[in-house]
Amino acid sequence: MSETVRLRAALVQTKPAKGQYARNLAEAGAAFAQLAGNSPDLVLLPEAALTGYFLEGAVYDLALSATRFAGDLARVWREAGGQRVDLAAGFFENDGGTYYNSAIYVEIEPKSERIVHLHRKMFLPTYGVFDEERFLSRGHRLGVFKTRFGEAALLICEDAWHSIVPAIAAVKGARILIVPSASPGRGIEGAGDGELESVARWREMLRLAALEHGVYVLYAGLTGFEGGKGMTGSSSVIDPWGRIVVQAPPSEACIVRADLDLREVDLARASLPLLGDLAGALPDLLLDDELPLARTKYHAADR
Amino acid sequence: MLPIVEWRKATPGPPGIDGRVTADWLVTFLRDELVERRGIGRAVVGLSGGVDSAVTAFLCARALGAASVFAIRMPYKTSHPSSLSDAQLVIDALNLPSRTIDISAAVDGYLQYESDADARRRGNVMARERMLVLFDQSAKLKALPIGTGNKTERLLGYFTWHADDTPPVNPIGDLFKSQVWELARYLKVPRPLIEKAPTADLRANQTDEGDLGISYARADAILAQILLGYSDAQMVEHGFPQKDVALVRGRIDATHWKRHLPTTAMLSSTAINEFYLRPVDY
């Protein structure tokens, strides 16, 4: 059982002005002030939440250390009158000259903050409209970390598109998948049934991950157009039964709130015990000699 | 006997759209791009009497309000009268502020020295003159020129380089012509503009499909397959005539240059858009 039964989550669907970090941080502060009166337990912001996503070479102008980013978020949270909170957000990280697409999970106290976990995006889309690996290095580790709401994992955007990633996070103990994302919308031919096809696809994949593994999924999507490419927002909460609890519209900055009962994870897993089955069979699947796994474990800097 | 459930493969048609999803997305795009990012709440659209510029005007009117969308009609002396009257249908349907600027004198002012100019050259001069007018009106009205080129003509290279493709913002450039028609029906663009044969109207009795040698429906279906990576042989297997496939493939391959900025010689490791890479909205 998790330590805490209730989780009051708030997803801040940001619409950053491209490259204007200080301005976007101030706007995040304004959103935090809106939350302060009825303070949530966990606040989640999207991938590249305060810079915009498509930065090309400007990523080197805007990347920050994790400590600096955590400090900035904590400062504006406190200035907004917020109480103790956990906060997760995506940003471009500068780690001494190596650059990542990262997300942090921070515990913010009245006078201090602590980075509980730093995740570096493992799957950097570099095809079609995407060009991440041209500018960024990839992360090498999927960490599951302890929070006061139980074990959680951060998956950034494409990390969550590979069904094995949520699977491994869940087998490693995650009860909550936290997914900051920036998804440029596409697909208008009608297959999205009243939505862009990419929005429908995202929801279907997250819903299946939640359903199969009995996890809560918190998804925060960036919104706003970037040079003609519109980010699809649609921040959402999906419960461990695979039900959409709440979903934001695609195209406007907004705050999504949901009060979650963490005991649902146990109930869903009892009802559909697939995760236990997977944990038993996963070694057989992964240690199969026919799999091309003759690779190094992971990068030393990432441990 | 068991019943047999069989997948029968039909020759693919042109790609369709969800009209509401597409219109909403493009209206949001125009508001974000013009008002929020550029701080310009006004647009200027050259209305040709065709469906592309009509759809663009309808989208702009939804995004910005009709009073902020300036419609400019730019006839040449040989333009078909229906081009003017069909453009007027759009102006009336949306109640747009509008103006008609005849480009004949400006175009002929140059062409009087080029009596040997063929129809193609004359058409290019007209297209470039229209863009000159549109940009000057943009400066006068403090309104952004909005592009009206669709994906089909962009892929087939069926446009005048640095003329039709010049405006800094284009809402319909990722829509095939067939999709523009579908969006036009959703937006309730006046029917004559949807039903007439598309024409650049640069010379008498010209039609796009006559110039191109293929219908838009067929061209769009083939283009969609080419963009997904299908080979010519596969497309013929899918039921497209070899000559149509070859025509569309040939036009795409011959016009890549028209979809790019000018080729600049690289001399340094800081060359713009080669090493120095910044997004347009940075």
Side-chain angles (χ1 to χ4, degrees):
Chain A
M1 282 291 288
S2 52
E3 294 81 345
T4 308
V5 167
R6 314 297 294 195
L7 166 56
R8 294 168 301 163
L11 319 177
V12 180
Q13 182 164 300
T14 57
K15 183 178 179 179
K18 177 65 66 73
Q20 298 183 44
Y21 178 76
R23 172 178 158 186
N24 299 327
L25 184 64
E27 287 195 5
F32 294 164
Q34 247 184 287
L35 294 170
N38 179 16
S39 195
D41 303 309
L42 171 63
V43 176
L44 172 59
L45 276 64
E47 178 181 15
L50 302 183
T51 55
Y53 171 73
F54 287 107
L55 294 183
E56 300 177 16
V59 74
Y60 307 124
D61 302 345
L62 291 158
L64 305 168
S65 70
T67 311
R68 159 85 193 276
F69 186 59
D72 285 348
L73 289 171
R75 177 173 51 78
V76 292
W77 176 261
R78 289 186 201 106
E79 287 170 359
Q83 307 299 306
R84 178 191 183 200
V85 78
D86 288 8
L87 201 153
F91 70 112
F92 290 110
E93 182 195 0
N94 177 354
D95 179 35
T98 306
Y99 297 84
Y100 300 97
N101 185 345
S102 299
I104 47 169
Y105 187 103
V106 195
E107 283 177 359
I108 299 176
E109 303 284 349
K111 292 196 182 308
S112 65
E113 65 274 355
R114 180 175 77 91
I115 297 176
V116 176
H117 188 71
L118 167 69
H119 175 70
R120 292 168 174 162
K121 188 173 182 179
M122 300 179 73
F123 293 90
L124 302 181
T126 305
Y127 63 89
V129 71
F130 302 102
D131 208 9
E132 287 193 34
E133 205 147 10
R134 182 171 187 174
F135 303 101
L136 301 164
S137 300
R138 75 180 196 91
H140 291 267
R141 184 155 188 272
L142 175 64
V144 170
F145 52 95
K146 195 166 177 54
T147 74
R148 56 194 168 111
F149 314 105
E151 306 282 309
L154 278 164
L155 314 180
I156 303 173
C157 207
E158 191 190 316
D159 289 343
W161 271 48
H162 300 270
S163 59
I164 196 169
V165 179
I168 287 178
V171 168
K172 287 177 74 169
R175 299 164 64 84
I176 307 170
L177 301 183
I178 301 170
V179 186
S181 172
S183 174
R186 52 216 189 271
I188 54 167
E189 291 185 30
D193 197 19
E195 291 178 305
L196 287 176
E197 286 152 31
S198 57
V199 174
R201 178 185 289 196
W202 252 116
R203 189 180 46 247
E204 206 49 23
M205 304 209 337
L206 294 176
R207 214 179 60 70
L208 289 172
L211 176 67
E212 181 181 347
H213 308 303
V215 290
Y216 271 109
V217 176
L218 307 180
Y219 172 89
L222 201 67
T223 190
F225 273 84
E226 299 191 19
K229 300 170 282 291
M231 299 299 173
T232 51
S234 306
S235 299
S236 50
V237 175
I238 303 168
D239 77 11
W241 306 89
R243 296 177 299 210
I244 313 296
V245 174
V246 59
Q247 178 177 329
S251 301
E252 53 192 89
C254 62
I255 295 170
V256 172
R257 298 200 65 149
D259 290 355
L260 313 180
D261 183 341
L262 297 166
R263 292 169 297 190
E264 298 278 348
V265 171
D266 301 306
L267 296 175
R269 288 178 177 180
S271 168
L272 189 65
L274 294 180
L275 184 61
D277 295 351
L278 180 63
L282 194 60
D284 294 333
L285 292 168
L286 292 182
L287 299 175
D288 182 339
D289 288 344
E290 293 173 11
L291 274 180
L293 291 179
R295 280 177 45 83
T296 54
K297 258 191 82 183
Y298 48 78
H299 197 265
D302 242 25
R303 286 170 206 254
Chain B
M1 286 285 283
L2 293 176
I4 294 173
V5 180
E6 193 176 9
W7 176 36
R8 289 187 195 280
K9 211 168 184 176
T11 301
I17 56 165
D18 180 320
R20 185 187 61 77
V21 169
T22 307
D24 289 353
W25 193 249
L26 293 176
V27 165
T28 308
F29 160 71
L30 287 167
R31 285 189 187 133
D32 265 23
E33 186 62 33
L34 269 68
V35 182
E36 294 194 27
R37 180 161 95 74
R38 298 172 190 254
I40 301 173
R42 290 141 66 100
V44 54
V45 181
L47 277 187
S48 68
V51 71
D52 297 329
S53 56
V55 163
T56 303
F58 269 72
L59 291 169
C60 289
R62 279 194 180 199
L64 309 172
S68 299
V69 182
F70 298 91
I72 313 285
R73 300 188 301 176
M74 294 170 280
Y76 181 67
K77 63 191 180 191
T78 61
S79 298
H80 197 282
S82 70
S83 294
L84 269 186
S85 58
D86 287 343
Q88 189 64 43
L89 292 177
V90 175
I91 292 165
D92 293 343
L94 295 170
N95 198 23
L96 302 179
S98 69
R99 187 165 166 203
T100 303
I101 298 171
D102 191 312
I103 61 169
S104 303
V107 167
D108 291 348
Y110 167 68
L111 285 178
Q112 65 180 315
Y113 305 112
E114 295 294 320
S115 55
D116 64 332
D118 59 13
R120 178 195 184 88
R121 285 177 59 199
R122 297 174 66 84
N124 283 337
V125 173
M126 289 173 214
R128 292 199 167 98
E129 178 60 32
R130 290 196 172 103
M131 213 38 63
L132 187 153
V133 171
L134 204 60
F135 272 76
D136 184 60
Q137 290 298 312
S138 158
K140 176 181 169 182
L141 298 166
K142 298 187 171 34
L144 206 67
I146 305 299
T148 63
N150 65 60
K151 188 174 188 171
T152 307
E153 64 189 27
R154 292 176 68 206
L155 286 167
L156 297 177
Y158 189 63
F159 63 92
T160 300
W161 198 48
H162 289 184
D164 323 26
D165 60 335
T166 311
V169 172
N170 178 349
I172 67 165
D174 197 23
L175 292 175
F176 292 109
K177 185 78 175 187
S178 311
Q179 296 175 313
V180 173
W181 271 315
E182 213 167 318
L183 186 56
R185 285 188 284 273
Y186 172 79
L187 292 168
K188 298 193 175 4
V189 167
R191 293 209 71 83
L193 284 84
I194 300 174
E195 286 162 3
K196 73 198 249 186
T199 173
D201 197 18
L202 298 170
R203 56 180 194 276
N205 300 319
Q206 183 184 21
T207 65
D208 294 0
E209 290 172 333
D211 282 2
L212 294 168
I214 188 170
S215 73
Y216 271 118
R218 173 61 59 79
D220 287 349
I222 293 172
L223 285 168
Q225 294 238 309
I226 289 176
L227 295 187
L228 286 174
Y230 287 103
S231 70
D232 291 9
Q234 283 173 297
M235 287 187 278
V236 170
E237 281 174 28
H238 295 169
F240 295 110
Q242 171 71 50
K243 72 169 179 45
D244 289 348
V245 171
L247 185 154
V248 173
R249 175 82 72 185
R251 286 205 69 121
I252 282 199
D253 286 351
T255 56
H256 292 305
W257 64 274
K258 288 183 97 167
R259 293 180 287 275
H260 286 272
L261 292 169
T263 305
T264 302
M266 192 184 89
L267 295 164
S268 70
S269 53
T270 56
I272 299 162
N273 289 336
E274 308 290 354
F275 284 89
Y276 178 74
L277 299 161
R278 293 295 182 278
V280 67
D281 56 340
Y282 184 60

